[in-house]
RNA sequence: CGGGGAGUGGCGCAGCCCGGUAGCGCGUCUGCUUUGGGAGCAGAGGGUCGCAGGUUCGAAUCCUGUCUCCCCGACCA
């Protein structure tokens, strides 16, 4: 439709990176803070995060995991106990070295040299070490296991290049940390968390993902095995949207997490950790957003329905508002997706048309514009965000009897959730390519610049060590990374694309955020 | 952290090369008209030009430093 006047000034097709930032800005989700790599999360963005928190927290608790809170600061000595862990994080750490400021004599303030800390504190980039120290105190006996904890927190990683929601210096997340008697029990928990993330992503975010194991070179520092869920963005790139790690006994060894088993012997615990972050919001934007802004899946929408009275600043307004308030109550009494409908009556002064475009950009699933004629005729005018435009390029209003709409509103909301998932899944599946058998074919496939053709699923022999490093470098030359080996990876037929040895499994290869 | 670009009313930009009263569009406010689908006309308000030094009679403009953002790279649970 060439005659559509979209709500955003940049289209996905013209400049995906600029479009992404425009959505965040125009939907008033977040903005710059003036602090390098850190963002201010505005009410609409934070409201979406609160929905994610609520739904994820229910699932975490349902698995018997209890919430705790651990300190923001971690003594450097805690952190240095696990060598690989240090290696992986040392380069991106914020460090606290002083506890007082003094005047510098030029009107400014500097750290007081007299107030230098005996031992520097790091601002947590993740909490394995400090939680491990607590676990060592809490666990004495096999009766104390498994120990299942989680915390909702902020963490800091001093990333070189940041992008709102996708990679910020400070971000919000949950981190689950568990300790188990043996490998088997820890692996069950690792995979339970992975499945929790997979189903959450599909059901709540309407975001299809591939759950699988990361290759050796992409493992969390110190982990024995790392699993991820990977989502495909509309530009064909992959986004790691959640991870779950089996940590073996190395963190337990470093922190002294031991228990006395049934035979009276001391044994090391097997630990896990798993997390999802505000990065998920970036994924939602790039999976569901369109040229008119965000489209929020109803399950995580702060408001699922917004009612916009067409106020005219005259005597008729009171009656119109009364009609809208009655409508709001009737809708809020319904339930969709297992919860009461979240309905907002936008009474702010201003033209309904202007407010409409603001809500379109925020991606509210259903917008009801109610004028005097609707009120008089017991009608509603409905805009469904995921079907915004008509064939003729006009906004797709549909008028309907009030009672009829109220009766089916919950089903409509659920249908939007379903529709977004179907649309995203179809796009993802259409952009996963199979049948690439050689490195030359892979090179050819990704030859085009800027917009990416999606992911390639290919056979490989699961090389390790130097052989894996060679593969990683070959892929790097094509700006590609191995995303994961899908959980349902059937034994692959044929040979490895890289080593020509017999293939043992399949992997996804893609450009990634 | 390397290369490139940028920071000027709420937002988007021009002005800078070649120093001399800080401008435009959108939005905001007021009034009138209009208004069932992103209104029109008229008027008004709003800016220590990212920050700190320097050069100069005079700096948005020239010089130095610094902070922040964007793009490419390196890095990246």
């Amino acid at each position: 439709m060439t005659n559509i006047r979209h709500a955003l000034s940049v289209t996905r097709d013209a400049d995906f990176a600029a479009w992404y930032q425009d959505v965040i800005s125009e939907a008033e989700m977040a903005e710059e803070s003036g602090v390098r790599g850190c963002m201010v999360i505005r009410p609409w963005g934070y409201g979406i995060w609160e929905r994610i928190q609520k739904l994820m927290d229910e699932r975490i608790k349902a698995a018997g995991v209890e919430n705790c809170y651990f300190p923001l600061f971690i003594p450097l000595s805690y952190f240095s106990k696990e060598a690989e862990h240090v290696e992986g994080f040392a380069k991106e750490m914020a460090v606290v070295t002083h506890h007082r400021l003094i005047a510098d004599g030029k009107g400014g303030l500097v750290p007081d040299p007299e107030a230098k800390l005996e031992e520097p504190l790091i601002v947590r980039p993740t909490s394995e070490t400090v939680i491990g120290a607590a676990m060592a105190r809490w666990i004495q006996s096999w009766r104390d296991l498994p120990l299942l904890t989680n915390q909702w927190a902020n963490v800091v990683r001093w990333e070189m290049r940041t992008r709102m929601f996708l990679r910020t210096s400070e971000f919000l997340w949950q981190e689950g940390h568990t300790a188990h008697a043996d490998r088997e029990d820890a692996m069950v928990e690792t995979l339970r968390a992975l499945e929790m993330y997979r189903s959450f992503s599909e059901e709540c975010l309407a975001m299809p993902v591939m759950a699988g194991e990361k290759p050796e070179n992409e493992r969390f520092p110190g982990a024995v095995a790392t699993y991820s869920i990977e989502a495909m963005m509309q530009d064909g790139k992959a986004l790691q949207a959640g991870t779950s790690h089996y940590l073996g006994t190395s963190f337990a060894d470093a922190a002294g997490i031991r228990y006395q088993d049934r035979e009276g012997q001391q044994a090391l615990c097997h630990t896990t950790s798993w997390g999802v972050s505000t990065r998920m919001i970036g994924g939602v934007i790039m999976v569901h957003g369109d040229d008119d802004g965000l489209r929020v899946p109803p399950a995580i929408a702060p408001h699922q329905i917004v009612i916009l009275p067409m106020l005219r600043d005259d005597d008729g307004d009171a009656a119109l508002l009364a009609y809208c308030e009655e409508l709001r109550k009737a809708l809020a009494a319904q339930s969709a997706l297992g919860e009461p409908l979240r309905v907002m009556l936008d009474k702010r002064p201003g033209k309904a048309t202007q407010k409409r475009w603001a809500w379109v950009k925020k991606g509210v699933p259903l917008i009801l514009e109610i004028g005097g004629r609707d009120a008089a005729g017991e009608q509603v005018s409905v805009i469904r965000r995921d079907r915004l435009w008509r064939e003729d390029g006009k906004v797709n209003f549909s008028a309907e009897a009030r009672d009829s709409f109220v009766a089916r509103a919950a089903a409509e909301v659920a249908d939007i959730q379903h529709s977004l998932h179907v649309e995203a899944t179809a796009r993802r599946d259409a952009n996963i390519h199979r049948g690439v058998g050689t490195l030359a074919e892979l090179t050819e496939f990704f030859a085009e610049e800027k917009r990416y053709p999606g992911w390639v699923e290919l056979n490989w022999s699961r090389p390790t060590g130097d052989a894996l490093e060679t593969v990683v470098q070959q892929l790097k030359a094509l700006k590609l990374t191995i995303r994961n080996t899908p959980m349902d990876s059937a034994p692959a037929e044929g040979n490895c694309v890289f080593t020509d040895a017999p293939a043992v499994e399949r992997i996804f290869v893609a450009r990634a955020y």
Side-chain angles (χ1 to χ4, degrees):
Chain A
M1 281 303 131
T2 53
N3 55 344
I4 288 179
R5 183 179 155 200
H6 285 293
L8 300 183
S9 53
V10 191
T11 63
R12 288 162 293 177
D13 206 41
D15 186 341
F16 197 80
W19 166 83
Y20 176 75
Q21 292 183 119
D22 206 35
V23 173
I24 291 169
S25 163
E26 292 294 317
E28 299 181 334
M29 300 176 78
E31 65 187 13
E32 293 306 330
S33 64
V35 181
R36 182 198 160 81
C38 296
M39 61 182 173
V40 174
I41 306 177
R42 303 183 67 181
W44 191 245
Y46 199 77
I48 292 170
W49 179 240
E50 287 181 313
R51 290 293 312 158
I52 290 174
Q53 279 187 304
K54 177 180 187 294
L55 296 168
M56 184 66 81
D57 201 53
E58 286 170 3
R59 284 163 166 77
I60 290 169
K61 289 191 172 111
V65 181
E66 296 182 299
N67 282 336
C68 303
Y69 188 78
F70 294 89
L72 170 68
F73 301 122
I74 300 177
L76 192 56
S77 58
Y78 278 34
F79 207 80
S80 49
K81 283 177 187 165
E82 217 293 337
E84 283 186 45
H85 197 53
V86 175
E87 176 81 11
F89 281 105
K91 281 180 264 180
E92 51 182 53
M93 207 81 83
V95 186
V96 180
T97 54
H98 294 75
H99 64 82
R100 195 193 306 140
L101 298 170
I102 54 169
D104 66 358
K106 291 181 282 187
L109 291 167
V110 292
D112 183 352
E114 300 292 307
K116 191 169 181 191
L117 296 179
E118 288 272 319
E119 178 183 358
L121 297 170
I122 59 161
V123 180
R124 63 182 166 213
T126 180
S127 303
E128 274 74 7
T129 54
V130 66
I131 294 179
M135 284 178 161
R137 295 191 298 272
W138 298 346
I139 296 169
Q140 307 292 329
S141 150
W142 61 273
R143 285 179 239 270
D144 298 325
L145 297 174
L147 178 64
L148 310 173
T149 65
N150 177 68
Q151 77 166 344
W152 289 94
N154 57 338
V155 291
V156 169
R157 298 179 187 180
W158 213 257
E159 301 287 355
M160 288 293 108
R161 190 171 169 192
T162 59
R163 281 166 175 274
M164 285 208 183
F165 291 111
L166 298 178
R167 181 174 286 109
T168 45
S169 298
E170 178 189 16
F171 58 93
L172 307 182
W173 75 345
Q174 59 71 214
E175 48 181 324
H177 296 270
T178 68
H180 305 262
D182 54 34
R183 179 183 192 283
E184 185 186 9
D185 199 46
M187 278 303 300
V188 167
E189 174 62 15
T190 303
L191 297 178
R192 182 204 64 77
L194 182 70
E195 170 55 21
M196 174 176 71
Y197 292 157
R198 189 203 61 77
S199 61
F200 174 86
S201 182
E202 304 264 352
E203 292 163 18
C204 301
L205 308 182
M207 183 167 82
V209 292
M210 290 296 186
E213 186 181 355
K214 295 295 256 186
E216 174 183 305
N217 63 304
E218 299 268 357
R219 274 183 203 140
F220 175 71
V224 173
T226 287
Y227 298 83
S228 71
I229 53 170
E230 303 282 333
M232 186 189 290
M233 306 296 103
Q234 288 183 63
D235 62 352
K237 290 169 85 169
L239 180 73
Q240 180 173 308
T243 50
S244 184
H245 315 287
Y246 166 59
L247 302 174
T249 56
S250 62
F251 282 86
D253 194 27
I257 312 172
R258 293 191 179 80
Y259 69 100
Q260 196 165 23
D261 66 21
R262 290 167 201 252
E263 285 76 44
Q265 303 298 308
Q266 286 288 312
L268 284 174
C269 288
H270 292 246
T271 63
T272 81
S273 68
W274 28 272
V276 296
S277 71
T278 37
R279 170 182 270 197
M280 274 190 157
I281 297 173
V284 167
I285 295 168
M286 289 194 287
V287 167
H288 298 303
D290 66 14
D291 294 339
D292 297 293
L294 184 62
R295 297 187 300 173
V296 191
I300 58 165
H303 313 310
Q304 295 164 317
I305 302 176
V306 166
I307 302 171
L308 286 180
M310 299 175 69
L311 301 172
R312 299 179 71 162
D313 206 20
D314 63 21
D315 295 346
D317 286 357
L320 181 59
L321 282 169
Y323 176 81
C324 289
E325 177 56 24
E326 282 301 307
L327 177 62
R328 189 196 64 76
K329 278 189 196 151
L331 289 167
Q334 312 293 310
S335 278
L337 305 167
E339 294 179 81
L341 278 177
R342 293 183 292 282
V343 188
M344 193 251 195
L345 171 55
D346 185 356
K347 294 192 222 184
R348 293 171 302 169
K351 302 207 105 188
T353 47
Q354 290 178 333
K355 292 196 286 181
R356 175 215 303 160
W357 289 107
W359 288 116
V360 163
K361 288 187 282 192
K362 284 185 160 70
V364 169
L366 287 171
I367 298 170
L368 307 181
E369 283 188 39
I370 310 295
R373 239 176 272 168
D374 293 306
E378 293 279 303
Q379 287 214 322
V380 294
S381 294
V382 186
I383 302 172
R384 190 171 143 151
R385 179 60 183 84
D386 63 330
R387 297 174 189 171
L388 186 60
W389 302 103
R390 288 198 315 230
E391 289 289 323
D392 62 5
K394 298 216 164 110
V395 174
N396 188 16
F397 285 98
S398 60
E400 180 172 354
R402 190 205 97 117
D403 291 348
S404 149
F405 176 76
V406 169
R408 69 178 189 84
E412 183 86 344
V413 164
D415 187 62
I416 293 170
Q417 181 79 22
H418 178 68
S419 267
L420 289 173
H421 186 245
V422 167
E423 184 184 324
T425 305
R427 186 174 51 238
R428 193 251 336 243
D429 291 346
N431 289 294
I432 291 179
H433 305 272
R434 300 182 173 86
V436 170
T438 65
L439 190 58
E441 284 171 23
L442 190 65
T443 304
E444 172 68 18
F445 188 79
F446 284 101
E448 198 179 324
E449 291 296 316
K450 199 165 178 185
R451 289 302 285 273
Y452 309 117
W455 303 356
V456 170
E457 189 183 39
L458 44 76
N459 290 331
W460 86 326
S461 57
R462 198 180 173 120
T464 60
D466 290 346
L468 173 60
E469 186 53 28
T470 301
V471 171
V472 168
Q473 290 306 322
Q474 285 172 325
L475 289 170
K476 193 173 177 179
L478 301 171
K479 296 191 206 173
L480 296 172
T481 54
I482 299 168
R483 303 319 300 162
N484 64 23
T485 294
M487 298 307 284
D488 60 354
S489 186
E493 306 248 335
N495 289 350
C496 177
V497 167
F498 308 102
T499 66
D500 206 37
V504 298
E505 61 188 15
R506 293 174 286 130
I507 52 170
F508 289 110
V509 162
R511 287 186 180 152
Y513 279 99

mmCIF file with all atom_site columns, all heavy atoms in Angstrom, chain A residues 23 25 38 59-60 147 153 180 224 241 267 305 427 450 458:
data_model
loop_
_atom_site.group_PDB
_atom_site.id
_atom_site.type_symbol
_atom_site.label_atom_id
_atom_site.label_alt_id
_atom_site.label_comp_id
_atom_site.label_asym_id
_atom_site.label_entity_id
_atom_site.label_seq_id
_atom_site.pdbx_PDB_ins_code
_atom_site.Cartn_x
_atom_site.Cartn_y
_atom_site.Cartn_z
_atom_site.occupancy
_atom_site.B_iso_or_equiv
_atom_site.pdbx_formal_charge
_atom_site.auth_seq_id
_atom_site.auth_comp_id
_atom_site.auth_asym_id
_atom_site.auth_atom_id
_atom_site.pdbx_PDB_model_num
ATOM 1   N N   . VAL A 1 23  ? 11.309  2.910   17.352 1.00 0.00 ? 23  VAL A N   1
ATOM 2   C CA  . VAL A 1 23  ? 10.211  2.271   18.084 1.00 0.00 ? 23  VAL A CA  1
ATOM 3   C C   . VAL A 1 23  ? 10.355  2.546   19.582 1.00 0.00 ? 23  VAL A C   1
ATOM 4   O O   . VAL A 1 23  ? 9.398   2.949   20.253 1.00 0.00 ? 23  VAL A O   1
ATOM 5   C CB  . VAL A 1 23  ? 10.188  0.738   17.847 1.00 0.00 ? 23  VAL A CB  1
ATOM 6   C CG1 . VAL A 1 23  ? 9.148   0.073   18.751 1.00 0.00 ? 23  VAL A CG1 1
ATOM 7   C CG2 . VAL A 1 23  ? 9.894   0.418   16.392 1.00 0.00 ? 23  VAL A CG2 1
ATOM 8   N N   . SER A 1 25  ? 11.908  4.913   21.102 1.00 0.00 ? 25  SER A N   1
ATOM 9   C CA  . SER A 1 25  ? 11.686  6.321   21.388 1.00 0.00 ? 25  SER A CA  1
ATOM 10  C C   . SER A 1 25  ? 10.213  6.713   21.233 1.00 0.00 ? 25  SER A C   1
ATOM 11  O O   . SER A 1 25  ? 9.614   7.318   22.126 1.00 0.00 ? 25  SER A O   1
ATOM 12  C CB  . SER A 1 25  ? 12.585  7.133   20.455 1.00 0.00 ? 25  SER A CB  1
ATOM 13  O OG  . SER A 1 25  ? 12.163  8.453   20.404 1.00 0.00 ? 25  SER A OG  1
ATOM 14  N N   . CYS A 1 38  ? 23.759  3.176   29.841 1.00 0.00 ? 38  CYS A N   1
ATOM 15  C CA  . CYS A 1 38  ? 22.644  2.940   30.757 1.00 0.00 ? 38  CYS A CA  1
ATOM 16  C C   . CYS A 1 38  ? 21.403  3.686   30.273 1.00 0.00 ? 38  CYS A C   1
ATOM 17  O O   . CYS A 1 38  ? 21.503  4.800   29.785 1.00 0.00 ? 38  CYS A O   1
ATOM 18  C CB  . CYS A 1 38  ? 22.989  3.419   32.165 1.00 0.00 ? 38  CYS A CB  1
ATOM 19  S SG  . CYS A 1 38  ? 24.359  2.515   32.900 1.00 0.00 ? 38  CYS A SG  1
ATOM 20  N N   . ARG A 1 59  ? 6.081   -18.881 37.316 1.00 0.00 ? 59  ARG A N   1
ATOM 21  C CA  . ARG A 1 59  ? 6.640   -20.158 36.847 1.00 0.00 ? 59  ARG A CA  1
ATOM 22  C C   . ARG A 1 59  ? 7.817   -20.600 37.709 1.00 0.00 ? 59  ARG A C   1
ATOM 23  O O   . ARG A 1 59  ? 8.001   -21.794 37.973 1.00 0.00 ? 59  ARG A O   1
ATOM 24  C CB  . ARG A 1 59  ? 7.074   -20.000 35.380 1.00 0.00 ? 59  ARG A CB  1
ATOM 25  C CG  . ARG A 1 59  ? 5.903   -20.010 34.416 1.00 0.00 ? 59  ARG A CG  1
ATOM 26  C CD  . ARG A 1 59  ? 6.312   -19.446 33.056 1.00 0.00 ? 59  ARG A CD  1
ATOM 27  N NE  . ARG A 1 59  ? 5.338   -19.745 32.024 1.00 0.00 ? 59  ARG A NE  1
ATOM 28  C CZ  . ARG A 1 59  ? 4.179   -19.107 31.881 1.00 0.00 ? 59  ARG A CZ  1
ATOM 29  N NH1 . ARG A 1 59  ? 3.847   -18.132 32.721 1.00 0.00 ? 59  ARG A NH1 1
ATOM 30  N NH2 . ARG A 1 59  ? 3.348   -19.433 30.906 1.00 0.00 ? 59  ARG A NH2 1
ATOM 31  N N   . ILE A 1 60  ? 8.625   -19.639 38.111 1.00 0.00 ? 60  ILE A N   1
ATOM 32  C CA  . ILE A 1 60  ? 9.785   -19.966 38.952 1.00 0.00 ? 60  ILE A CA  1
ATOM 33  C C   . ILE A 1 60  ? 9.313   -20.531 40.294 1.00 0.00 ? 60  ILE A C   1
ATOM 34  O O   . ILE A 1 60  ? 9.810   -21.562 40.768 1.00 0.00 ? 60  ILE A O   1
ATOM 35  C CB  . ILE A 1 60  ? 10.661  -18.704 39.160 1.00 0.00 ? 60  ILE A CB  1
ATOM 36  C CG1 . ILE A 1 60  ? 11.354  -18.333 37.838 1.00 0.00 ? 60  ILE A CG1 1
ATOM 37  C CG2 . ILE A 1 60  ? 11.685  -18.930 40.264 1.00 0.00 ? 60  ILE A CG2 1
ATOM 38  C CD1 . ILE A 1 60  ? 12.025  -16.967 37.843 1.00 0.00 ? 60  ILE A CD1 1
ATOM 39  N N   . LEU A 1 147 ? 18.875  -27.158 46.838 1.00 0.00 ? 147 LEU A N   1
ATOM 40  C CA  . LEU A 1 147 ? 18.627  -25.788 47.293 1.00 0.00 ? 147 LEU A CA  1
ATOM 41  C C   . LEU A 1 147 ? 18.311  -24.959 46.057 1.00 0.00 ? 147 LEU A C   1
ATOM 42  O O   . LEU A 1 147 ? 19.129  -24.860 45.131 1.00 0.00 ? 147 LEU A O   1
ATOM 43  C CB  . LEU A 1 147 ? 19.869  -25.234 47.999 1.00 0.00 ? 147 LEU A CB  1
ATOM 44  C CG  . LEU A 1 147 ? 19.758  -23.782 48.475 1.00 0.00 ? 147 LEU A CG  1
ATOM 45  C CD1 . LEU A 1 147 ? 18.682  -23.644 49.542 1.00 0.00 ? 147 LEU A CD1 1
ATOM 46  C CD2 . LEU A 1 147 ? 21.092  -23.283 48.991 1.00 0.00 ? 147 LEU A CD2 1
ATOM 47  N N   . ALA A 1 153 ? 17.184  -8.849  40.071 1.00 0.00 ? 153 ALA A N   1
ATOM 48  C CA  . ALA A 1 153 ? 18.220  -7.874  40.409 1.00 0.00 ? 153 ALA A CA  1
ATOM 49  C C   . ALA A 1 153 ? 18.695  -7.117  39.173 1.00 0.00 ? 153 ALA A C   1
ATOM 50  O O   . ALA A 1 153 ? 18.313  -7.422  38.050 1.00 0.00 ? 153 ALA A O   1
ATOM 51  C CB  . ALA A 1 153 ? 19.404  -8.596  41.042 1.00 0.00 ? 153 ALA A CB  1
ATOM 52  N N   . HIS A 1 180 ? 22.669  -29.088 43.912 1.00 0.00 ? 180 HIS A N   1
ATOM 53  C CA  . HIS A 1 180 ? 22.113  -30.436 43.875 1.00 0.00 ? 180 HIS A CA  1
ATOM 54  C C   . HIS A 1 180 ? 23.140  -31.466 44.346 1.00 0.00 ? 180 HIS A C   1
ATOM 55  O O   . HIS A 1 180 ? 24.339  -31.195 44.364 1.00 0.00 ? 180 HIS A O   1
ATOM 56  C CB  . HIS A 1 180 ? 21.671  -30.775 42.446 1.00 0.00 ? 180 HIS A CB  1
ATOM 57  C CG  . HIS A 1 180 ? 20.721  -29.766 41.884 1.00 0.00 ? 180 HIS A CG  1
ATOM 58  N ND1 . HIS A 1 180 ? 19.365  -29.924 41.880 1.00 0.00 ? 180 HIS A ND1 1
ATOM 59  C CD2 . HIS A 1 180 ? 20.962  -28.537 41.346 1.00 0.00 ? 180 HIS A CD2 1
ATOM 60  C CE1 . HIS A 1 180 ? 18.797  -28.848 41.347 1.00 0.00 ? 180 HIS A CE1 1
ATOM 61  N NE2 . HIS A 1 180 ? 19.742  -27.999 41.011 1.00 0.00 ? 180 HIS A NE2 1
ATOM 62  N N   . VAL A 1 224 ? 30.013  -26.165 32.668 1.00 0.00 ? 224 VAL A N   1
ATOM 63  C CA  . VAL A 1 224 ? 30.283  -27.439 32.004 1.00 0.00 ? 224 VAL A CA  1
ATOM 64  C C   . VAL A 1 224 ? 29.424  -27.546 30.741 1.00 0.00 ? 224 VAL A C   1
ATOM 65  O O   . VAL A 1 224 ? 29.856  -28.070 29.719 1.00 0.00 ? 224 VAL A O   1
ATOM 66  C CB  . VAL A 1 224 ? 29.978  -28.620 32.952 1.00 0.00 ? 224 VAL A CB  1
ATOM 67  C CG1 . VAL A 1 224 ? 30.091  -29.961 32.225 1.00 0.00 ? 224 VAL A CG1 1
ATOM 68  C CG2 . VAL A 1 224 ? 30.930  -28.578 34.149 1.00 0.00 ? 224 VAL A CG2 1
ATOM 69  N N   . ALA A 1 241 ? 17.930  -15.281 23.940 1.00 0.00 ? 241 ALA A N   1
ATOM 70  C CA  . ALA A 1 241 ? 16.905  -14.653 24.780 1.00 0.00 ? 241 ALA A CA  1
ATOM 71  C C   . ALA A 1 241 ? 16.844  -15.219 26.191 1.00 0.00 ? 241 ALA A C   1
ATOM 72  O O   . ALA A 1 241 ? 16.088  -14.736 27.028 1.00 0.00 ? 241 ALA A O   1
ATOM 73  C CB  . ALA A 1 241 ? 15.538  -14.794 24.115 1.00 0.00 ? 241 ALA A CB  1
ATOM 74  N N   . ALA A 1 267 ? 30.738  -34.450 50.140 1.00 0.00 ? 267 ALA A N   1
ATOM 75  C CA  . ALA A 1 267 ? 30.693  -34.421 48.676 1.00 0.00 ? 267 ALA A CA  1
ATOM 76  C C   . ALA A 1 267 ? 30.435  -32.999 48.204 1.00 0.00 ? 267 ALA A C   1
ATOM 77  O O   . ALA A 1 267 ? 29.810  -32.206 48.905 1.00 0.00 ? 267 ALA A O   1
ATOM 78  C CB  . ALA A 1 267 ? 29.592  -35.350 48.168 1.00 0.00 ? 267 ALA A CB  1
ATOM 79  N N   . ILE A 1 305 ? -6.504  -3.281  26.382 1.00 0.00 ? 305 ILE A N   1
ATOM 80  C CA  . ILE A 1 305 ? -7.503  -2.501  25.650 1.00 0.00 ? 305 ILE A CA  1
ATOM 81  C C   . ILE A 1 305 ? -7.439  -1.063  26.166 1.00 0.00 ? 305 ILE A C   1
ATOM 82  O O   . ILE A 1 305 ? -7.415  -0.843  27.378 1.00 0.00 ? 305 ILE A O   1
ATOM 83  C CB  . ILE A 1 305 ? -8.922  -3.049  25.882 1.00 0.00 ? 305 ILE A CB  1
ATOM 84  C CG1 . ILE A 1 305 ? -9.007  -4.530  25.464 1.00 0.00 ? 305 ILE A CG1 1
ATOM 85  C CG2 . ILE A 1 305 ? -9.970  -2.211  25.140 1.00 0.00 ? 305 ILE A CG2 1
ATOM 86  C CD1 . ILE A 1 305 ? -10.366 -5.169  25.747 1.00 0.00 ? 305 ILE A CD1 1
ATOM 87  N N   . ARG A 1 427 ? 7.210   -16.819 9.924  1.00 0.00 ? 427 ARG A N   1
ATOM 88  C CA  . ARG A 1 427 ? 8.351   -16.060 9.391  1.00 0.00 ? 427 ARG A CA  1
ATOM 89  C C   . ARG A 1 427 ? 9.663   -16.735 9.769  1.00 0.00 ? 427 ARG A C   1
ATOM 90  O O   . ARG A 1 427 ? 10.564  -16.879 8.955  1.00 0.00 ? 427 ARG A O   1
ATOM 91  C CB  . ARG A 1 427 ? 8.320   -14.621 9.915  1.00 0.00 ? 427 ARG A CB  1
ATOM 92  C CG  . ARG A 1 427 ? 9.407   -13.735 9.286  1.00 0.00 ? 427 ARG A CG  1
ATOM 93  C CD  . ARG A 1 427 ? 9.256   -12.287 9.701  1.00 0.00 ? 427 ARG A CD  1
ATOM 94  N NE  . ARG A 1 427 ? 9.141   -12.184 11.134 1.00 0.00 ? 427 ARG A NE  1
ATOM 95  C CZ  . ARG A 1 427 ? 8.114   -11.624 11.764 1.00 0.00 ? 427 ARG A CZ  1
ATOM 96  N NH1 . ARG A 1 427 ? 7.143   -11.079 11.095 1.00 0.00 ? 427 ARG A NH1 1
ATOM 97  N NH2 . ARG A 1 427 ? 8.083   -11.585 13.077 1.00 0.00 ? 427 ARG A NH2 1
ATOM 98  N N   . LYS A 1 450 ? 23.698  -6.355  4.583  1.00 0.00 ? 450 LYS A N   1
ATOM 99  C CA  . LYS A 1 450 ? 22.658  -5.579  5.232  1.00 0.00 ? 450 LYS A CA  1
ATOM 100 C C   . LYS A 1 450 ? 21.474  -6.392  5.763  1.00 0.00 ? 450 LYS A C   1
ATOM 101 O O   . LYS A 1 450 ? 21.352  -6.617  6.935  1.00 0.00 ? 450 LYS A O   1
ATOM 102 C CB  . LYS A 1 450 ? 22.135  -4.466  4.323  1.00 0.00 ? 450 LYS A CB  1
ATOM 103 C CG  . LYS A 1 450 ? 21.416  -3.386  5.118  1.00 0.00 ? 450 LYS A CG  1
ATOM 104 C CD  . LYS A 1 450 ? 21.212  -2.120  4.309  1.00 0.00 ? 450 LYS A CD  1
ATOM 105 C CE  . LYS A 1 450 ? 20.441  -1.116  5.139  1.00 0.00 ? 450 LYS A CE  1
ATOM 106 N NZ  . LYS A 1 450 ? 20.100  0.086   4.410  1.00 0.00 ? 450 LYS A NZ  1
ATOM 107 N N   . LEU A 1 458 ? 22.605  -26.876 9.797  1.00 0.00 ? 458 LEU A N   1
ATOM 108 C CA  . LEU A 1 458 ? 23.494  -27.773 9.064  1.00 0.00 ? 458 LEU A CA  1
ATOM 109 C C   . LEU A 1 458 ? 24.076  -28.875 9.950  1.00 0.00 ? 458 LEU A C   1
ATOM 110 O O   . LEU A 1 458 ? 23.994  -28.827 11.173 1.00 0.00 ? 458 LEU A O   1
ATOM 111 C CB  . LEU A 1 458 ? 24.598  -26.977 8.362  1.00 0.00 ? 458 LEU A CB  1
ATOM 112 C CG  . LEU A 1 458 ? 25.312  -25.851 9.102  1.00 0.00 ? 458 LEU A CG  1
ATOM 113 C CD1 . LEU A 1 458 ? 26.296  -26.434 10.075 1.00 0.00 ? 458 LEU A CD1 1
ATOM 114 C CD2 . LEU A 1 458 ? 26.020  -24.951 8.101  1.00 0.00 ? 458 LEU A CD2 1
#
